Amino acid sequence: MFCRESLSSLQTLSVAKSLSSLFPKQSALTSLISAGRRNKLPRPNLRRRCKVTASRSNIEQEGNIVKEPIKKIKVKGYITAQEEFLEGITWLRPLDEIADIRGRSLLVELISAQTDQRITVEDYAQRVWAEAPDEKYECEFEMPEDFGPVGAIKVQNQYHRQLFLKGMELELPGGSVTFTCESWVAPKSVDPTKRIFFSNKSYLPSETPEPLKKYRKEELETLQGKNREQVGEFTKFERIYDYDVYNDVGDPDNDPELARPVIGGLAHPYPRRCKTGRKPCETDPSSEQRYGGEFYVPRDEEFSSAKATSFKGKAVLAAIPSIFPQIESVLLDPQSPFPHFKAIQNLFEEGIQLPKNAGLLPLLPRIIKALGEAQDDILQFEAPVLIDRDRFSWLRDDEFARQTLAGLNPYSIQLVEEWPLKSKLDPAVYGDPTSLITWEIVEREVKGNMTVDEALKSKRLFVLDYHDLLLPYVNKVRELDNTTLYASRTLFFLSDDSTLRPVAIELTCPPNINKPQWKQVFTPGYDATSRWLWKLAKTHAVSHDAGYHQLISHWLRTHCCTEPYIIAANRQLSAMHPIYRLLHPHFRYTMEINSRARQSLVNGGGIIETCFWPGKYSLELSSAVYDKLWRFDMEGLPADLIRRGLAEEDETAEHGLRLRIPDYPFANDGLILWDAIKEWVTDYVKHYYPDEGLITSDEELQGWWSEVRNIGHGDKKDEPWWPVLKTQDDLIGVVTTIAWVASGHHAAVNFGQYGYGGYFPNRPTTTRIRMPVEEPTDEELKEFYESPEKVMLKTYPSQKQATLVMVTLDLLSTHSPDEEYIGEQPESTWANDPVIYAAFKKFKGRLEYLEGVIDERNVNITLKNRAGAGVVKYELLKPLSDHGVTGMGVPYSISI
C-alpha cells in the first residue's frame, strides 16, 4: 500500500520519464518535474506572467500617444489550499504536476475596493510547499501605487482537479489583508468562471465600497442559479441554492410499496429542502427519482474529506443500505424477539460473529472487533453509560420520570393546567374525549395529601401527552405488519425534592367499524399482575416518546427546520454580510447530513420507517406536528419553557425566568448557554447595526428573512406570529433562536442517543404486540400470567430492529475528531475586527463558566435529577468534548 506522497511521486516520475524520452534535450524541465513533489518547489523566474493592463496611463495629445509610466509596487500573496485525498491519486495528477512546474497552478486577480477598475492586476500562483493536508502557493503582483485597498480576489483553478481553497494572505505596505475562502474551486475545464472571494472585512450592503457592489450582486445571482445555462439535475461543481418539497423520500419506480405522499404543500405542510433538479418518477410525476449516486447539495455544504479525512459519518451513512443486510444475515431469526434478557446483554458482553470479509471494521471501528486474521470479526457494542452505571435503573419509575427532565427528550414534559384531562379531537370520530385518569386514582398514588385544586394551583401535575397527536394514526399503524400503537397520556406528580413521580398511564384506541373506543388506565400497582401491566404500559409510553423525540424534537425541529435558513442565507446574504458571517458556523454540513438522512434514514423503507412505530407514516406524522405546533417564535429556549408551562417570566429570577421544577437539568444548563449566545449576538448586532434604520434599510437582510418566511417555511407564511425585522431586538431574537436550535437544542437531543437508547429496553423505538388486557385471547392471557417476561420481550423491537437502531444511534452520537464546538475558536472574520473579537472572548469566557457550573452541579447530591448513586450525570450541554461517544459537547452546527 503506497502512501499519498509515494503515489504522487511515482506519477511525477512517470511523467518525467515520458517527457525525457520525448524531449531528451529538455533535461532541465524533467529535473524540475522530478523535484516537483518535494516539499520545497523551485520557483522559476516567470515575472512575465504578471499582467497589468492600464488604459488610463496612456494620454492622447494632438494625435500622439505619450506613455506615462505607472508607479508600481510589488505585493506578495500566500495561498493555503488542500486537495481531496482521492483527487490526489487520479491519472490527472501528473498533468497538474506540469502546471506546478510551469508556475501556473492558480490564476489570481486583485480587485480594488477604492477605484473603478480599469486596471487588471493578476498573477499565476505557483505551488511552492506541501505538507499533507495543506499546500502553499505563492504569487507576486505588480500593483499600481494608487490601486487602493484590495477588497476581493478572483481565482481560476488551472488544475484538472478541484481544489479546496482555504484562504489567502496579501502582504501590502500598510499591512496584510486576509481572505478566508473555505471553498471548493472547480477546475477551469469544468467552470472557467473566476471565483470571487471577499476580504475578511464585513460590509452591510449600504456600506459596500462602490467597486465591490457589482461583484456582491453577481455572486448572489450565481448562488440563486440566475446565471445557470444548462437544465436538468444540478451537477457537483454547481453552487446553486434553491427550494423543493420533500418529494424524494418515496421510490415508487422501484417498488409501489415505497410510494409516499409529497411532504410540503397544502396537504402536508413542511419546511423546504434543497432542490436537486432530478427527473420526476415515471409512475408518479409528483415524486422525484432516487436513482443511484449521492443527492446534490452545493459542493461547499458537503463534508470535506480534505478537512476531515478521519470523519466516517459520510461514509457510514452512505453505506447504511449495504451494512444492514450484512448484519441481518448473521442473526438467527431477525424478525423474532430476543429469547431472554441475557441475549440482549450478550450484545455488549459476547457480541455477534460477522464474516471477516464483510468490510465493516473500517466503517464501524467502535463496535466491530477484529479477533485475528483467521477468525471472524465480532459485532460487539460498548455498554451505554446508563447500564454501565446501573444495569437495572431503566426498570425503576424514578428513572423513567428523571429522564423526562434530564434524558434524551426534555422537550415534551408539560404542566397540567386543566382538569380533567380532555381531548380536543372530534368525539364523533375518536370517541369520548374525557380521560379516565380521575382524581381518585391520583389521590391514591400521592397518598391523598392534597386536593385536585391544590395540586393545580401549586403546579404539581405534569404530563407527557401524546393522545391527540397519535390517536388519528392508531388504526392506520395497526394495519402495518409487526407493529401496534396506542394514544397515550402519562401523568406525573412533582414532589417537594423537585423529582417527578409517575402516577398513571392511559392508553387509548379510537373506534373503528368493528369495535368501539378502547381505553384503560394503568398505575404502578401493588401486586404482581398490576406491576407487570404497569411495566408493559410504560414500554408503550416510552416508545411513543422515543418516536416523538426522533421525528419531532430531533429531525423536524432541528435538521428540517434549519435547512431553509441556510438556503435563504446563501441566496440573499452576501458572503461579506456580517449576519451571514455570524450564522455561517451554525450552518456547516447541515444540508449534507439532511441529504444523507433523505437517502437512508427518513426515506421510504429506511431506518426510521423500519424500526420506529409510525412506519411509513413517519414524515406524514411530523408534517402534522409542524402544521399544528411549530412556531418560530416558540423555538427559543425561554419561549419554549413558558409555552409548556415549565417556567414563567420573573424579572427578579436568574435569566428572567422562574422554573416550575427547580431541578430541571436541561433548562438549568440550557438557560446559561442561551444567555451566553444572546449576549454574544447582541454585542455583534449592535456593533454592525448601531441604529434601527440600518436594519430596515438592509435589503439583503430583509430579503433573507422574507424568503425564510415566504418560501422556506412558506406553508406557514400567513401565520401572525412571525417576527418582523424592524429593531435591533427583533434581529437579536431571530439570530439567537437560530443559533440556539443549531447548537444547544440539537446537542441536547442528539449526543445522548446511544447513552440512553443504546440499551433499547430503556427506550424501545416500537412496540409489536398489544397490551394483554386489550381483547386478549385465552392463549394470550395464559402466556401473560405464566411468562410475563416473554410478553415484554415480544413487545420490544425485533432482533433486527434493535440491532439496526443500536448501530445507527452509536453513529449519530459520535463526535468527529475535528468537531467544531461552540465558542472554542473564533471565525477568522470575527478575529479581523477588534470589537467583535473582544465580544467573542467574552462569549468564550461565559462558556468556560458553564463548563464549571455543570461540573459542580453534577456532584451536588441534593440535585437528584442529575446526581446520586448510579445516576447518569447531565453533561449534554457542556460546550466541549473529546471525540467519540461522550454524552457531552455542543457543536456550532447540526453536523450529524
Side-chain angles (χ1 to χ4, degrees), residues 37 45 75 149 285 720 744 773 775 782 846:
R37 284 300 288 173
N45 183 14
V75 174
V773 291
E775 300 180 349
K782 181 181 178 182
R846 292 199 65 169

Side-chain angles (χ1 to χ4, degrees), residues 418-431:
E418 295 180 356
W419 194 268
L421 301 174
K422 196 170 184 179
S423 171
K424 294 179 174 60
L425 298 176
D426 184 356
V429 177
Y430 297 104

Side-chain angles (χ1 to χ4, degrees), residues 406-687:
L408 193 51
N409 184 31
Y411 271 100
S412 286
I413 190 75
Q414 56 186 302
L415 179 70
V416 175
E417 301 188 71
E418 295 180 356
W419 194 268
L421 301 174
K422 196 170 184 179
S423 171
K424 294 179 174 60
L425 298 176
D426 184 356
V429 177
Y430 297 104
D432 184 1
T434 304
S435 171
L436 291 182
I437 302 177
T438 63
W439 186 246
E440 289 73 24
I441 292 174
V442 178
E443 273 190 323
R444 185 174 70 239
E445 297 302 320
V446 301
K447 312 303 181 187
N449 57 10
M450 66 176 61
T451 66
V452 62
D453 289 335
E454 291 171 339
L456 291 173
K457 186 176 181 179
S458 58
K459 317 296 183 187
R460 293 290 189 126
L461 296 179
F462 295 84
V463 67
L464 284 179
D465 192 349
Y466 296 125
H467 183 277
D468 285 10
L469 172 64
L470 301 191
L471 202 60
Y473 289 89
V474 168
N475 287 331
K476 293 192 288 187
V477 168
R478 285 187 165 210
E479 293 176 358
L480 303 177
D481 294 335
N482 208 28
T483 191
T484 193
L485 183 63
Y486 295 96
S488 68
R489 294 185 181 101
T490 304
L491 189 69
F492 300 87
F493 181 82
L494 178 64
S495 302
D496 292 339
D497 61 0
S498 203
T499 60
L500 292 175
R501 185 194 316 169
V503 296
I505 296 172
E506 181 180 37
L507 301 179
T508 306
C509 288
N512 60 34
I513 57 174
N514 298 316
K515 64 177 186 179
Q517 182 194 63
W518 179 93
K519 55 185 173 183
Q520 187 165 331
V521 176
F522 303 88
T523 59
Y526 301 94
D527 60 81
T529 300
S530 61
R531 285 180 183 273
W532 270 107
L533 288 174
W534 171 250
K535 288 184 178 72
L536 290 169
K538 269 201 308 184
T539 299
H540 286 277
V542 172
S543 173
H544 302 159
D545 189 64
Y548 186 91
H549 157 261
Q550 198 63 264
L551 280 166
I552 310 304
S553 301
H554 185 199
W555 163 253
L556 174 67
R557 292 182 64 180
T558 65
H559 287 261
C560 196
C561 286
T562 297
E563 187 156 346
Y565 313 146
I566 303 172
I567 298 172
N570 282 278
R571 287 171 54 85
Q572 298 296 334
L573 296 177
S574 167
M576 69 166 75
H577 197 291
I579 298 302
Y580 179 89
R581 287 174 164 172
L582 175 59
L583 285 173
H584 183 253
H586 295 289
F587 291 162
R588 286 192 184 108
Y589 308 134
T590 301
M591 290 177 66
E592 165 76 348
I593 198 67
N594 286 0
S595 78
R596 294 290 175 184
R598 301 201 317 274
Q599 287 179 269
S600 55
L601 295 179
V602 300
N603 59 300
I607 302 304
I608 300 297
E609 287 196 3
T610 301
C611 302
F612 285 75
W613 51 262
K616 70 178 185 179
Y617 301 106
S618 293
L619 282 196
E620 188 179 326
L621 176 76
S622 70
S623 166
V625 175
Y626 176 74
D627 182 33
K628 296 173 184 175
L629 298 179
W630 187 86
R631 294 178 50 159
F632 180 87
D633 64 328
M634 296 294 174
E635 289 302 288
L637 179 58
D640 174 82
L641 292 171
I642 292 170
R643 181 188 198 186
R644 291 187 285 121
L646 270 295
E648 63 179 355
E649 293 183 350
D650 183 347
E651 293 182 0
T652 65
E654 189 177 13
H655 316 294
L657 292 179
R658 184 168 61 83
L659 294 176
R660 306 286 193 196
I661 303 175
D663 181 16
Y664 186 1
F666 162 68
N668 296 134
D669 298 353
L671 286 170
I672 297 178
L673 178 57
W674 168 271
D675 282 355
I677 294 171
K678 185 175 182 180
E679 181 183 63
W680 154 239
V681 171
T682 298
D683 291 343
Y684 191 101
V685 166
K686 290 187 175 180
H687 176 64

Side-chain angles (χ1 to χ4, degrees), residues 831-843:
N832 189 68
D833 187 311
V835 175
I836 296 301
Y837 186 60
F840 173 81
K841 295 292 285 185
K842 184 170 64 171
F843 176 49

Side-chain angles (χ1 to χ4, degrees), residues 185-441:
V185 181
K188 71 174 183 179
S189 58
V190 174
D191 183 7
T193 307
K194 290 182 181 178
R195 287 285 307 280
I196 187 82
F197 296 101
F198 300 105
S199 76
N200 284 5
K201 183 174 175 57
S202 299
Y203 292 102
L204 298 179
S206 61
E207 298 170 347
T208 308
E210 196 64 35
L212 299 182
K213 287 183 177 179
K214 68 173 182 177
Y215 298 110
R216 185 170 186 147
K217 180 182 178 183
E218 288 172 1
E219 176 70 356
L220 286 176
E221 289 176 345
T222 297
L223 298 175
Q224 293 165 8
K226 290 183 178 179
N227 300 326
R228 189 177 194 239
E229 296 179 357
Q230 62 194 80
V231 295
E233 184 174 0
F234 298 158
T235 55
K236 191 171 184 178
F237 78 90
E238 293 185 279
R239 299 180 299 124
I240 297 174
Y241 293 79
D242 207 349
Y243 303 91
D244 211 339
V245 293
Y246 281 74
N247 62 349
D248 62 346
V249 291
D251 193 4
D253 285 353
N254 185 48
D255 184 349
E257 291 295 317
L258 295 178
R260 297 291 181 269
V262 173
I263 306 296
L266 293 177
H268 300 291
Y270 219 53
R272 297 300 187 260
R273 63 164 175 90
C274 175
K275 185 176 183 178
T276 66
R278 283 169 289 154
K279 296 178 181 178
C281 291
E282 294 180 1
T283 56
D284 179 11
S286 66
S287 296
E288 196 170 75
Q289 291 185 9
R290 292 176 56 88
Y291 41 77
E294 300 177 1
F295 289 4
Y296 166 84
V297 294
R299 184 65 178 95
D300 288 343
E301 302 297 333
E302 291 186 348
F303 296 128
S304 170
S305 60
K307 177 177 178 299
T309 53
S310 57
F311 180 57
K312 298 296 191 301
K314 177 178 179 179
V316 176
L317 283 173
I320 276 178
S322 60
I323 288 175
F324 288 159
Q326 295 182 62
I327 294 176
E328 183 180 353
S329 68
V330 299
L331 299 174
L332 295 178
D333 192 351
Q335 300 302 331
S336 293
F338 286 86
H340 39 70
F341 277 93
K342 183 62 172 69
I344 299 173
Q345 194 64 31
N346 284 344
L347 293 173
F348 310 103
E349 296 176 353
E350 299 178 7
I352 303 170
Q353 284 193 334
L354 293 172
K356 173 64 72 175
N357 61 357
L360 300 183
L361 179 58
L363 296 175
L364 304 170
R366 211 178 90 89
I367 57 178
I368 304 294
K369 317 297 181 186
L371 299 183
E373 299 245 345
Q375 301 181 55
D376 289 341
D377 291 337
I378 297 292
L379 172 66
Q380 184 178 351
F381 292 94
E382 298 282 342
V385 63
L386 180 75
I387 62 168
D388 190 49
R389 283 180 166 267
D390 183 347
R391 181 177 297 185
F392 303 107
S393 63
W394 64 277
L395 280 167
R396 299 198 312 268
D397 288 350
D398 63 286
E399 179 63 17
F400 167 49
R402 188 192 74 84
Q403 289 184 29
T404 66
L405 302 173
L408 193 51
N409 184 31
Y411 271 100
S412 286
I413 190 75
Q414 56 186 302
L415 179 70
V416 175
E417 301 188 71
E418 295 180 356
W419 194 268
L421 301 174
K422 196 170 184 179
S423 171
K424 294 179 174 60
L425 298 176
D426 184 356
V429 177
Y430 297 104
D432 184 1
T434 304
S435 171
L436 291 182
I437 302 177
T438 63
W439 186 246
E440 289 73 24
I441 292 174

